Structure formats: C-alpha cells, structure tokens
Amino acid sequence: MNQQNENNKVIKIIVGAVILVGLVIFFSKDSIMYGYYVNKGDKEVESWKAVQDYTDALKIKYDDFLVDKIKLNVLQSDEYATSLLEDLDGVLKSSDLNQLYVDVYVKEATNAYKEGDYKLCEKELDKAVFYGYYKNDFKYIDELESYNKTNSSSNNNTNKVVRNNSNSYYNYNSNEYIIPDSDSRYLTRSELSRYTKTDLGYIRNEIFARYGYVFSKAKYRNYFGAKSWYYPDPSVPDDESILNNVERANVHLIKSME
C-alpha cells in the first residue's frame, strides 16, 4: 500500500513537471521564435534572406533594433530592394516604411548621378520626395541643378509636341507620364533597356492606371494617386481584358524584361 502511494506521488510529480515545462514553453514561445529568427538572419549571407528572417521576428515583436537591421539589409539588396519594400508593407510602421522608401530611392538617385544618368537621378529623387524627402538635402543637388539649367537652355525641344511613327502625339517633357504614348505605340526592347526593373514596374502599371485600375500594392497606389490624370475605379477588372492590342503587347514585353 505504501509502495503504491509512493508511486502515485512520483507520477504526480512527473505530471506536474511536464505541465510546468509545457506552460513555460507556451508562454515563452514568442521569445524563443523571436530569438531564432534574429539569429538566423544574422547568419544569412544574402541580405534579402536576412530581411525575410528579420521580418518574421518583427511580426512577433516590433522594436527599433530590428527595424535598423532591416533597413541596413534592404539597402544592401540592390535589385531586390523594391520587392522587399513591398513585402514590408503592413509590417513596418508607416513612418519607418516611408523613410526606408526614401533611403532606397536616394541611394538609387546617387548611383544614377555617379553614372552620369541625370534624368534617372531626377526620377528617383522625385520618388523619394513623394515619401517625404526634402530634395535640397540631396548631396549633389547643386551639380544636378546646374546640369538641368545648362541642358534646359540648350534644349530646343522644350514642351515640344511631336508626331511619332504611330501617329500619336505626346509631350517629350511631360512629368505626368513616364512613357506618355504606351497606350498607342509599340514599345521596343531597346528603349526599355535603359530603365531599371523598378521603373519597368511603374511603366507597365501606368498602362493599367490609365483605366483607373485600383492597385493593391501601396507603392503603386501612392505613386499613381499623386497623378492628376488618375481616377481610381473599383469596377475595372484585374486582368488584361481592358487593354487594347498595343497595350497588351507592351505589357507582355515589359514583363519579359522585369
């Protein structure tokens, strides 16, 4: 009888210990997973993979320490930076996400300036300005403005409207559209090759935006929402049925280059 009582006590102790361990694991699982994702991200060789790990950790606990790690790795991801920003929409706070957009576009503007592509530099700066950047803070703003003044004074095509081979008219200096006649002229791989993959995404979606397509991604909603010609229309279908033959061909070409 005494032996049975002793056995029952042992069983109770074991059960109690198991329950206690289970409770500890249950209440500390978030902390454990947080540490796991942070450590995994720290060991990643590729920056974009590290961002994905840090993002998983940030979903568990939001802190500035992780936000700084994400920012650093996004800026090191180069061609993956824009897609990473899209993934961070809804994860980062709006202020942190906007600042990261600014940092990415200012970096791209700086690279474009150093490569002598001043038009691309201006485009990237305009994107940064949309997210709250003060353009005069740009490191090379004086040199860029000097170039623009020189180029403007020597350019006889200012506000010139011309006819192209497809008989459509457009303004060479329009700041409203990236490619104003992409709805009526077949674009070429050669002319599109000078754009970055990020730009190609905007050019492709510009075709849909003309119809009032409502974008699910914040970067496109924000970008086209700032255009005077864009009027969101929820009734526009999420497919290519709204496009004419020229637009459809241009969309397919751009997709093949993105």
Side-chain angles (χ1 to χ4, degrees), residues 158-176:
T158 302
N159 293 327
K160 181 180 179 181
V161 176
V162 299
R163 179 189 293 269
N164 59 33
N165 292 333
S166 63
N167 292 323
S168 64
Y169 292 88
Y170 60 95
N171 190 325
Y172 269 130
N173 294 289
S174 171
N175 290 319
E176 284 293 304

Side-chain angles (χ1 to χ4, degrees), residues 99-233:
Q99 183 57 53
L100 189 48
Y101 267 110
V102 167
D103 293 341
V104 167
Y105 289 136
V106 169
K107 179 185 176 182
E108 291 183 355
T110 300
N111 291 339
Y113 177 84
K114 290 180 178 179
E115 293 172 1
D117 193 340
Y118 303 119
K119 289 184 178 180
L120 177 58
C121 177
E122 284 280 7
K123 287 180 181 179
E124 298 302 326
L125 282 180
D126 286 342
K127 294 176 188 176
V129 168
F130 180 81
Y131 287 98
Y133 183 64
Y134 184 54
K135 196 171 183 177
N136 284 343
D137 287 341
F138 186 56
K139 182 178 180 179
Y140 304 104
I141 190 63
D142 291 337
E143 295 88 337
L144 190 61
E145 289 182 345
S146 176
Y147 165 80
N148 287 337
K149 288 179 181 178
T150 302
N151 189 58
S152 177
S153 62
S154 62
N155 187 357
N156 294 323
N157 287 323
T158 302
N159 293 327
K160 181 180 179 181
V161 176
V162 299
R163 179 189 293 269
N164 59 33
N165 292 333
S166 63
N167 292 323
S168 64
Y169 292 88
Y170 60 95
N171 190 325
Y172 269 130
N173 294 289
S174 171
N175 290 319
E176 284 293 304
Y177 293 97
I178 302 175
I179 300 183
D181 61 340
S182 60
D183 60 335
S184 56
R185 176 176 65 87
Y186 288 102
L187 305 180
T188 66
R189 187 173 295 273
S190 176
E191 69 178 294
L192 291 174
S193 64
R194 63 191 177 92
Y195 292 100
T196 65
K197 289 187 177 181
T198 298
D199 286 335
L200 290 175
Y202 285 99
I203 293 171
R204 173 171 54 80
N205 282 292
E206 184 174 76
I207 295 173
F208 290 92
R210 285 191 178 93
Y211 291 91
Y213 177 78
V214 178
F215 297 95
S216 59
K217 293 182 178 179
K219 70 169 187 173
Y220 293 129
R221 287 199 308 272
N222 294 335
Y223 176 79
F224 291 112
K227 302 301 180 183
S228 62
W229 51 265
Y230 177 65
Y231 296 95
D233 181 358

Side-chain angles (χ1 to χ4, degrees), residues 82-97:
T82 303
S83 61
L84 288 173
L85 287 173
E86 295 171 8
D87 293 339
L88 290 168
D89 186 18
V91 179
L92 285 181
K93 293 178 181 177
S94 295
S95 57
D96 289 331
L97 182 60

